[in-house]
Structure formats: structure tokens, C-alpha cells
């Protein structure tokens, strides 16, 4: 897969990044280098490789699943600048 100048401009617009027209060729080249590296990774056979949590062998820490002192909705919402109907009220961010 190859990224051209128009696709790089579209990706920049979707990411809301301002990229000058003179820099689009370089951005497309960087995208192509990234995709080339991903293609190299896809050539590796990882069927017998187990997932790791770290580069050193370790087990994840576990805790008991117990009920804590929750049910403090009024105390939590007392710190909110705006709370309505038992929830935090925030400005709409979707266009």
C-alpha cells in the first residue's frame, strides 16, 4: 500500500493537524516508511509466541474483588462545578 500526497492531506485533516502543501510529500514519505515497517513485521511467524506482560517474566499483581466504601455520590458531586440529575454536567464536544 502506498500513500500519496492527497491521502496524506486527508489523514492530516482527519487528525486536525495543519500541514503546509510543501510538507505533504515528506509526510507521505513518512507514512510509507511506517507502512513498510509494518509489512516487515507481518512477515514474521509469531504463531508459537506467547503474549507477555513485560520483557521480563513476571505475573500480574492480583487483588481481591471486594466491595469498598462506595455509594458516595453526593460527596463526589459536591466537588463538581455543574451536576445535574446525579451526574457530572459537561459541555457538548461533538460537532
Amino acid at each position: 500500500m502506498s500513500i500519496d500526497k492527497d491521502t496524506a492531506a486527508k489523514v492530516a485533516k482527519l487528525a486536525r493537524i495543519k500541514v503546509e502543501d510543501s510538507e505533504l510529500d515528506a509526510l507521505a514519505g513518512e507514512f510509507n516508511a511506517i507502512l513498510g515497517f509494518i509489512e516487515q513485521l507481518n512477515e514474521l511467524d509469531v504463531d508459537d509466541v506467547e503474549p507477555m506482560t513485560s520483557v521480563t517474566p513476571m505475573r500480574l499483581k492480583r487483588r481481591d474483588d471486594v466491595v469498598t466504601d462506595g455509594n458516595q455520590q453526593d460527596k463526589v458531586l459536591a466537588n463538581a462545578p455543574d451536576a445535574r440529575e446525579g451526574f457530572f454536567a459537561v459541555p457538548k464536544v461533538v460537532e
Side-chain angles (χ1 to χ4, degrees), residues 1 8 10-12 14 21 23 30 37-38 41-42 48-49 61-62 69 79 84 88 90 93 95:
M1 179 177 194
K10 185 175 181 180
V11 170
L14 290 173
D21 290 337
E23 298 174 350
E30 289 180 27
F37 181 69
I38 292 172
L41 291 176
N42 285 334
D48 296 327
V49 178
K61 296 180 183 176
R62 301 192 184 255
D69 61 340
N79 295 322
R84 297 181 198 148
F88 290 103
V90 296
V93 294
E95 293 179 13

Side-chain angles (χ1 to χ4, degrees), residues 8-9 11-13 16-25 27:
V11 170
K13 181 181 178 187
R16 298 179 185 260
I17 299 171
K18 183 178 179 182
V19 178
E20 300 296 331
D21 290 337
S22 60
E23 298 174 350
L24 284 175
D25 287 326
L27 181 63

Side-chain angles (χ1 to χ4, degrees), residues 4 6 28-29 31 35 51-52 57 67-68 70 74 79 82 93:
D4 60 351
D6 294 332
F31 284 149
L35 290 175
M52 301 184 323
V67 177
T68 59
D74 295 333
N79 295 322
D82 188 10
V93 294

Side-chain angles (χ1 to χ4, degrees), residues 22 56 66 87 92:
S22 60
T56 58
V66 295
F87 298 98
K92 183 178 177 181

Side-chain angles (χ1 to χ4, degrees), residues 59-84:
R59 292 189 52 94
L60 291 176
K61 296 180 183 176
R62 301 192 184 255
R63 62 175 173 84
D64 294 331
D65 190 13
V66 295
V67 177
T68 59
D69 61 340
N71 211 10
Q72 299 180 8
Q73 183 178 15
D74 295 333
K75 290 181 182 178
V76 172
L77 291 177
N79 295 322
D82 188 10
R84 297 181 198 148

